[in-house]
Amino acid sequence: MQKHFLILLGTRPEAIKLFPVINRLKSENRKDVAITVCATAQHRQLLDQVLKLAEVIPDFDLDIMTSNQTLDHLTARLLAQIGDMLEKVRPTRVIVQGDTATAMTGALSAYYHRIPVSHVEAGLRSGDIFAPWPEEVNRKIVGSIADQHFAPTERAAQALRSENIPTNRIHVTGNTVVDALILAKARVEGDPTLSARWNEIRQCHGNRRIILVTCHRRENFGGGVLNIVAALETILAREDVAVVLPVHPNPNVRDVFVSRFSNHPRVVLISPQEYTDFVSLLSLSYLVLTDSGGVQEEAPTFGKPVLVMRDTTERPEGIEAGTARLVGASHERIVGETFRLLDDDEIYASMARSHNPFGDGHASERIVKVLLDA
Ligand code: UD1
Ligand code: UDP
């Protein structure tokens, strides 16, 4: 029977984590398999950056994003437009990734159209529905609809089993972000112009240690972001560090960082970077301060300690491996743990181990095999 996979993606991390699956599926070149890629464009510029680099051209583009979109309006628009698209395309299976509004509404809409759903990056759980918000509930909704669960780690598979998902529907694959990262890293290492892109920062800051910062989580908006800014100001009182901060375009974070740091001599505020440029930046940084999910999964490949600016994480594998620590959006903890890493070589060395507990670079291979064999 003809298989028709519809792969749905909307945001930067979905594109990064799905392009290895899309490209591998396409490279199988099977006559009995049709592949349709639908971009909801929940993100616009951030999504386009990745799709261009990965040479993925969506068959459908729903062009959903509006400025400073609210969760309810975003969800309503996504559900209606994904539904109309599914009605037209009638795929035999919908593939969604992660925990975004696109993934959640994609799964729900597929269910309304009685189309089976595969979930890439299934089984991540923090146990707190408000952290990350709204992602914890989004992925539980996807998990309750999907009949194929691609769990990145054994721990994620265990979480699904404890929710009574039948074992034969759970496949431990590794996280596809490691596949994407390995491809990007090879590209950076093979093209000296990519790492030369950061020469200006290197020259300007000499021996200063680079702290790479990313921040965008909805639960940190308001007080959390202000605490993070205040903590960075305290850290920057030291002359021996510089902060590089690719600013997320969400106005709730962008406006605060731009107003506080635009003129700071040791803060480099930059626009969202192409994936290869970000990977290259990761490799030259000394440590990472982030509330991102994907960055937590990538930093261990480069042996970079990560301080996670959240109170809890659905990715505890990094904490257990000793390469990441939770610091919340707390001024005291962010400053305290950053200073420990800057001042104590032993603590730094204990966290700067290059080992990635999230995947081995073969996740998309395993996922495609299951998709084709089922
Ligand atoms: C979304 C995901 C989050 C993921 C993050 C990755 C949900 C509910 N949240 O959060 O899980 O970690 O993406 O970055 O799906 N914007 C632009 N250009 C862009 C992208 C965003 O201007 O290319 C601005 C817009 O004003 C937009 C706002 O950012 O309205 C928020 O985007 P949205 O996708 O709703 O939420 P994120 O906070 O980015
Ligand atoms: N990233 C990027 N350019 C940047 C910042 C991040 O390509 O300027 C990548 C990063 O390597 C990771 C992904 O974006 O793979 C993480 O996306 P984000 O933090 O927006 O979302 P999350 O992972 O928290 O859902």
Side-chain angles (χ1 to χ4, degrees), residues 179-361:
D179 305 20
L181 184 61
I182 288 172
L183 291 168
K185 190 166 170 273
R187 216 186 266 200
V188 170
E189 285 164 1
D191 180 355
T193 58
L194 285 172
S195 50
R197 164 105 173 58
W198 304 114
N199 282 352
E200 203 183 313
I201 294 179
R202 283 200 193 89
Q203 277 155 16
C204 181
H205 292 292
N207 291 330
R208 286 195 183 105
R209 286 170 288 180
I210 304 283
I211 303 179
L212 176 61
V213 180
T214 82
C215 172
H216 75 278
R217 297 235 73 83
R218 281 179 187 265
E219 65 271 19
N220 278 340
F221 291 176
V225 176
L226 291 177
N227 286 345
I228 290 168
V229 166
L232 292 176
E233 280 168 342
T234 306
I235 293 165
L236 283 157
R238 297 173 63 128
E239 291 283 334
D240 61 343
V241 296
V243 163
V244 178
L245 204 163
V247 186
H248 195 283
N250 193 317
N252 297 285
V253 288
R254 186 196 55 207
D255 295 353
V256 183
F257 285 117
V258 168
S259 75
R260 297 290 275 273
F261 290 125
S262 280
N263 297 317
H264 196 292
R266 276 175 289 106
V267 179
V268 186
L269 287 186
I270 47 179
S271 55
Q273 295 299 298
E274 291 246 345
Y275 189 46
T276 40
D277 288 327
F278 186 78
V279 165
S280 158
L281 199 50
L282 201 49
S283 76
L284 79 86
S285 65
Y286 189 74
L287 69 96
V288 182
L289 272 172
T290 189
D291 62 8
S292 161
V295 177
Q296 284 176 65
E297 294 159 340
E298 292 165 338
T301 289
F302 295 95
K304 304 296 175 180
V306 185
L307 298 178
V308 182
M309 297 189 291
R310 303 184 185 187
D311 291 324
T312 177
T313 180
E314 65 282 18
R315 296 167 165 92
E317 292 86 347
I319 315 269
E320 286 158 4
T323 59
R325 265 194 197 147
L326 288 178
V327 292
S330 143
H331 179 278
E332 194 191 332
R333 279 153 67 203
I334 295 171
V335 173
E337 291 295 333
T338 302
F339 283 3
R340 260 155 56 92
L341 282 167
L342 291 171
D343 294 330
D344 188 325
D345 290 345
E346 260 176 49
I347 288 179
Y348 185 86
S350 73
M351 287 184 77
R353 273 177 290 112
S354 168
H355 161 70
N356 197 319
F358 296 101
D360 62 359

Side-chain angles (χ1 to χ4, degrees), residues 3-8 18-37 56 59 92-96 118 120 148 150 176 179 363-374:
K3 287 185 161 79
H4 183 177
F5 298 122
L6 184 130
I7 300 161
L8 193 67
L18 281 174
F19 87 75
V21 178
I22 295 169
N23 290 343
R24 180 158 283 273
L25 254 180
K26 289 194 166 163
S27 73
E28 294 283 328
N29 217 0
R30 291 256 301 246
K31 297 259 177 312
D32 57 339
V33 175
I35 301 155
T36 299
V37 176
V56 171
D59 303 283
T92 56
R93 178 167 286 282
V94 171
I95 301 168
V96 299
S118 303
V120 176
Q148 268 180 353
F150 298 120
T176 55
D179 305 20
S364 44
E365 244 167 80
R366 297 186 187 103
I367 289 170
V368 167
K369 184 166 182 346
V370 175
L371 287 170
L372 294 177
D373 289 353

Side-chain angles (χ1 to χ4, degrees), residues 45-65:
Q45 303 87 340
L46 296 190
L47 179 73
D48 292 345
Q49 254 184 343
V50 183
L51 294 179
K52 187 161 166 258
L53 189 77
E55 299 179 20
V56 171
I57 302 169
D59 303 283
F60 290 88
D61 190 321
L62 307 182
D63 202 20
I64 290 279
M65 195 192 87

